[in-house]
Amino acid sequence: NKKNRNLILYLRKVVESYRAGFVSSKELKTDLHLDFKRVRQLNRWYFKHRILPYLKPKRRKPMKPEINKTKDLEAKIKWLEKENEMLRMKSIAWETLVDIAEKQFDISIKKKFASKPLKH
């Protein structure tokens, strides 16, 4: 695996130098014993694995547009405001109901905040 990785790195450097114009195909053939067909294969491989991913990035799931998110959030805020108002009205109704019951029947229904200490 290490030899293969080094070979790939070596071939990548060869192709990069060829693409940059530092080395001609004749020099590759004489010095490195690479024929023109192999250089073309390496050039295609280089384009496929090094350059193409930047030109065509992988497709991802399309995200919901921000407009839909904001509309959903606005609808949720409206619903929560309505529910909050209903709960306020319900608590006011319960408080008035307890006040009326305390006045009519002379009993204390509301919980007292200060607790009495227990005697042993």
Side-chain angles (χ1 to χ4, degrees), residues 76-87:
K76 191 173 184 178
I77 288 172
K78 285 181 183 179
W79 180 79
L80 288 172
E81 286 174 350
K82 286 180 185 177
E83 188 171 346
N84 191 14
E85 187 63 32
M86 288 297 293
L87 290 173

Side-chain angles (χ1 to χ4, degrees), residues 49-61:
H49 293 287
R50 293 287 290 179
I51 299 172
L52 194 63
Y54 295 110
L55 297 177
K56 293 183 180 179
K58 292 182 181 178
R59 293 186 180 177
R60 295 181 181 153
K61 283 185 177 180

Side-chain angles (χ1 to χ4, degrees), residues 39-99:
V39 173
R40 281 191 3 218
Q41 287 175 348
L42 291 172
N43 196 14
R44 275 183 265 153
W45 166 81
Y46 182 82
F47 180 79
K48 182 180 177 184
H49 293 287
R50 293 287 290 179
I51 299 172
L52 194 63
Y54 295 110
L55 297 177
K56 293 183 180 179
K58 292 182 181 178
R59 293 186 180 177
R60 295 181 181 153
K61 283 185 177 180
M63 294 178 64
K64 284 186 175 179
E66 290 294 322
I67 298 167
N68 289 344
K69 288 182 182 179
T70 54
K71 285 182 181 178
D72 292 342
L73 290 174
E74 287 173 357
K76 191 173 184 178
I77 288 172
K78 285 181 183 179
W79 180 79
L80 288 172
E81 286 174 350
K82 286 180 185 177
E83 188 171 346
N84 191 14
E85 187 63 32
M86 288 297 293
L87 290 173
R88 252 192 238 131
M89 298 294 267
K90 193 175 182 179
S91 69
I92 291 171
W94 279 104
E95 285 178 10
T96 54
L97 184 70
V98 168
D99 288 341

